[in-house]
Amino acid sequence: MASSLENSVFETTFAIIGGGIAGVSCAEQLAIEDPEASVILISASPLVKVARNINKISERLEEFDVEEETHAYLEKCHPNCKVINSSAIEINDERHEIHLSNRQIVRYKRLCICSGAVPKVIAKSSPFVLGIRDTETVERFQKSFQLQKRVDCGKWRNCN
């Protein structure tokens, strides 16, 4: 299972598509719950997003920090977990296969798709509205403020 050659075929108990918080949390939980099972996380990014400093605020609300880690971090913490840096281009649910952009194939018993969501932005065409969803959009937001000399609050009250 350690080969990363093209045309390789990997067999796993659990295949997870998505290297964000949902996918990584799913992979970690499955690796802990069933240490005998193999877990493959498919991430298009060379980094995975990990939740840290988890603080339960109420029964249904948690606060946490998001940090990016290399694939090696997840594999070191959970030896039954492997990360493949590639994109899923086809899922054959009858054959239980995922075909990846690097020509690898992952055969699975169970599949979890944690590919994220697209936020609804109230005014997509407005230059004054920015949807913030992940670390990339936060960085874009921070960079836009670094270039500004002043921020015009317009008609907003209590802007200071």
Side-chain angles (χ1 to χ4, degrees), residues 1-159:
M1 209 162 104
S3 173
S4 64
L5 300 173
E6 285 189 0
N7 300 320
S8 297
V9 177
F10 297 96
E11 305 242 355
T12 188
T13 308
F14 298 103
I16 302 160
I17 299 173
I21 291 292
V24 173
S25 298
C26 180
E28 288 181 316
Q29 194 63 40
L30 289 169
I32 291 167
E33 294 286 331
D34 192 352
E36 301 301 315
S38 59
V39 178
I40 291 181
L41 176 71
I42 300 163
S43 174
S45 169
L47 300 172
V48 293
K49 297 187 180 176
V50 179
R52 296 236 169 83
N53 305 320
I54 301 168
N55 182 23
K56 190 168 179 111
I57 296 172
S58 69
E59 183 180 337
R60 296 189 178 149
L61 187 62
E62 291 180 344
E63 170 183 62
F64 56 88
D65 297 325
V66 176
E67 294 181 10
E68 293 181 324
E69 289 284 355
T70 64
H71 296 170
Y73 165 81
L74 191 60
E75 293 172 349
K76 182 181 175 187
C77 291
H78 305 286
N80 59 331
C81 192
K82 174 177 179 46
V83 181
I84 298 176
N85 182 209
S86 188
S87 298
I89 56 171
E90 179 185 346
I91 300 172
N92 184 328
D93 61 329
E94 291 176 3
R95 296 181 64 178
H96 287 239
E97 290 181 346
I98 305 166
H99 295 258
L100 305 178
S101 60
N102 63 3
R103 297 186 174 180
Q104 294 176 330
I105 295 173
V106 176
R107 291 191 181 129
Y108 60 88
K109 292 182 181 165
R110 299 280 186 254
L111 173 63
C112 303
I113 300 175
C114 304
S115 59
V118 178
K120 287 186 179 183
V121 179
I122 56 174
K124 291 181 186 178
S125 61
S126 173
F128 302 109
V129 176
L130 174 66
I132 296 178
R133 180 182 165 268
D134 52 20
T135 53
E136 288 82 16
T137 54
V138 169
E139 288 170 359
R140 196 175 323 135
F141 178 68
Q142 289 171 333
K143 284 180 186 175
S144 70
F145 266 98
Q146 289 172 350
L147 301 173
Q148 302 302 318
K149 292 182 181 173
R150 71 182 190 96
V151 176
D152 184 8
C153 295
K155 296 180 181 179
W156 292 99
R157 292 184 183 159
N158 302 322
C159 185

